[in-house]
């Protein structure tokens, strides 16, 4: 089957993302899926630079720059304002990095999700605070080097389980997506657009600069993150109760994902084997959630 992406380009070609920037590729697909009736809220992150200094812009839709910690509450306020003006068509999307989502903005996000604000919140995950020079976030994977987890003290803590946290908020739609699977990404954003309430999409977005990776390997790394079970593609519906996991891929070794990335260069074969075991445990945990999923007819509309 040949897949064609939507034709409408909302990201201009002259943006200032680095070569191979997964965050830039992912917003391109995202806005192609959402269309022009979209308002984007951007807290401090790489994307608050990539979109260009006012009055220049790399997006053909309105952008609202906000503080690092306030993406979700700003989006909720804008949505309320649009509704007061009678505009029920425009979707408001918060577009935040992992630092602005997993760490700094989690309080505003949790508040908005608990109130089930009618917003789409997208976290593009490049697994560190990249805009300020590659500092560790709670999304940085175990084993990784960053400037605040130098080789002698590489990151020992696992990545925060953000999808579980969002599922605990009983919101109508949660998904993960990847720049390596644009068709799946576009379908998930289209689905999210059609739903009312808080929707959360977590997009895996490789960062060649911060991962010490050749830019041309960006998409291939995103694909291998899925096929080596590091970043499962999931959808969580029924107000956080029903998990669906994509399993239709040929598994690839974790070391094939780790080896091309300079941020993992210090790891020994034993450490890589141990990380692989940890990844397998996480994968089994996600599958167990799928097996435990329940559907209660009508619950999602209450
Ligand atoms: C309250 C506050 N603390 C720190 C900063 C500095 N700051 C700006 S962007 C950024 C990193 C953002 O990381 P992330 O959200 O992961 O996005 P990325 O840069 O990786 O795209 C930091 C620490 C800030 N602007 N505001
Ligand atoms: S530092 Fe990373 S996320 Fe930021 S623009 Fe460059 S490639 Fe993209
Ligand atoms: Mg980041």
């Amino acid at each position: 089957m040949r897949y064609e992406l939507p034709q409408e380009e909302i990201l201009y070609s002259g943006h200032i993302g680095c070569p191979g920037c997964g965050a830039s590729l992912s917003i391109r697909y995202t806005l192609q899926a959402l269309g022009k009736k979209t308002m984007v809220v951007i807290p401090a992150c790489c994307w608050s630079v990539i979109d260009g200094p006012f009055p220049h812009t790399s997006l053909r839709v309105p952008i609202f720059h906000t503080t690092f910690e306030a993406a979700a509450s700003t989006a909720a306020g804008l949505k309320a304002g649009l509704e007061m003006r009678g505009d029920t068509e425009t979707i408001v999307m918060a577009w935040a990095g992992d630092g602005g989502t997993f760490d700094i903005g989690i309080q505003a996000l949790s508040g908005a999700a608990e109130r089930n604000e009618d917003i789409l919140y997208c976290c593009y995950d490049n697994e560190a605070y990249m805009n300020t020079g590659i500092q560790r976030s709670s999304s940085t994977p175990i084993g990784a080097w960053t400037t605040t987890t130098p080789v002698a003290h590489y990151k020992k803590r696992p990545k925060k389980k953000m999808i579980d946290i969002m599922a605990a908020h009983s919101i109508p739609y949660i998904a993960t997506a990847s720049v390596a699977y644009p068709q799946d990404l576009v379908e998930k954003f289209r689905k999210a657009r059609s739903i009312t309430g808080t929707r959360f999409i977590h997009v895996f977005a490789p960062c060649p600069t911060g991962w010490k990776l050749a830019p041309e390997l960006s998409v291939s790394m995103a694909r291998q993150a899925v096929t080596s079970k590091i970043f499962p593609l999931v959808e969580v519906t029924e107000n956080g109760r029903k998990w669906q996991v994509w399993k239709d891929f040929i598994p690839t070794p974790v070391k094939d994902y780790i080896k091309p990335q300079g941020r993992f260069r210090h790891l020994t074969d034993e450490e890589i084997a141990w990380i692989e075991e940890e990844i397998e445990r996480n994968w089994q945990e996600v599958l167990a959630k799928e097996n435990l999923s329940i559907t209660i007819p009508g619950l999602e509309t209450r």
Side-chain angles (χ1 to χ4, degrees):
M1 187 180 80
R2 186 165 183 271
Y3 177 70
E4 284 182 8
L5 285 170
Q7 290 298 303
E8 190 173 36
E9 290 288 0
I10 296 178
L11 171 67
Y12 287 105
S13 56
H15 67 78
I16 54 170
C18 312
C21 173
S24 301
L25 192 53
S26 54
I27 203 167
R28 178 182 173 209
Y29 296 144
T30 295
L31 290 174
Q32 281 178 324
L34 297 178
K36 280 246 177 78
K37 284 273 184 191
T38 304
M39 211 174 249
V40 183
V41 174
I42 305 183
C45 58
C46 268
W47 248 95
S48 56
V49 179
I50 299 170
D51 63 6
F54 183 82
H56 304 285
T57 178
S58 58
L59 298 183
R60 286 169 213 244
V61 290
I63 303 168
F64 192 107
H65 284 268
T66 191
T67 56
F68 206 4
E69 55 274 40
S73 44
T74 305
L78 281 177
K79 180 66 185 173
L82 286 169
E83 273 172 13
M84 282 181 77
R85 293 170 57 163
D87 179 350
T88 51
E89 211 187 325
T90 302
I91 183 169
V92 181
M93 174 177 69
W95 181 261
D98 50 292
T101 303
F102 286 58
D103 301 335
I104 312 280
I106 197 167
Q107 181 180 355
L109 173 59
S110 176
E114 191 277 327
R115 296 188 301 275
N116 199 23
E117 297 284 357
D118 190 18
I119 59 167
L120 168 59
Y121 189 107
C122 178
C123 171
Y124 70 88
D125 186 5
N126 53 24
E127 302 193 314
Y129 292 75
M130 295 306 181
N131 186 45
T132 40
I134 323 169
Q135 293 85 25
R136 152 217 214 274
S137 78
S138 56
S139 175
T140 302
I142 202 161
W145 161 93
T146 65
T147 54
T148 47
T149 49
V151 167
H153 306 280
Y154 69 76
K155 189 164 181 237
K156 303 284 186 340
R157 294 284 300 154
K159 188 177 174 99
K160 193 185 272 183
K161 292 175 181 168
M162 199 62 202
I163 296 297
D164 296 50
I165 292 171
M166 295 315 293
H169 285 76
S170 306
I171 55 175
Y173 188 72
I174 302 163
T176 60
S178 166
V179 287
Y181 296 89
Q183 178 177 2
D184 177 69
L185 186 149
V186 164
E187 280 167 11
K188 283 170 174 165
F189 274 91
R190 280 184 172 151
K191 195 183 284 184
R193 201 191 203 297
S194 71
I195 293 169
T196 305
T198 306
R199 295 138 281 166
F200 180 84
I201 301 188
H202 179 192
V203 177
F204 194 77
C207 167
T209 309
W211 296 9
K212 308 292 173 212
L213 172 74
E216 64 274 18
L217 294 181
S218 196
V219 172
S220 144
M221 281 299 107
R223 189 175 304 114
Q224 289 188 54
V226 173
T227 55
S228 58
K229 305 176 182 172
I230 291 168
F231 190 81
L233 291 179
V234 304
E235 272 185 310
V236 187
T237 52
E238 307 279 340
N239 288 346
R241 288 188 166 89
K242 185 175 179 188
W243 287 66
Q244 286 163 287
V245 189
W246 185 62
K247 301 179 277 299
D248 191 17
F249 56 82
I250 297 165
T252 55
V254 168
K255 77 169 168 4
D256 289 1
Y257 172 79
I258 279 180
K259 287 285 182 194
Q261 300 183 42
R263 64 177 174 157
F264 296 121
R265 192 170 295 135
H266 52 277
L267 294 175
T268 62
D269 286 347
E270 291 74 45
E271 285 167 322
I272 294 173
W274 172 73
I275 288 171
E276 192 155 16
E277 280 170 25
E278 187 65 12
I279 287 163
E280 184 59 31
R281 275 193 284 273
N282 285 340
W283 174 254
Q284 293 301 331
E285 207 178 292
V286 173
L287 294 184
K289 283 180 192 128
E290 184 178 53
N291 291 335
L292 284 174
S293 290
I294 51 169
T295 303
I296 303 174
L299 182 74
E300 70 282 5
T301 57
R302 270 183 232 158

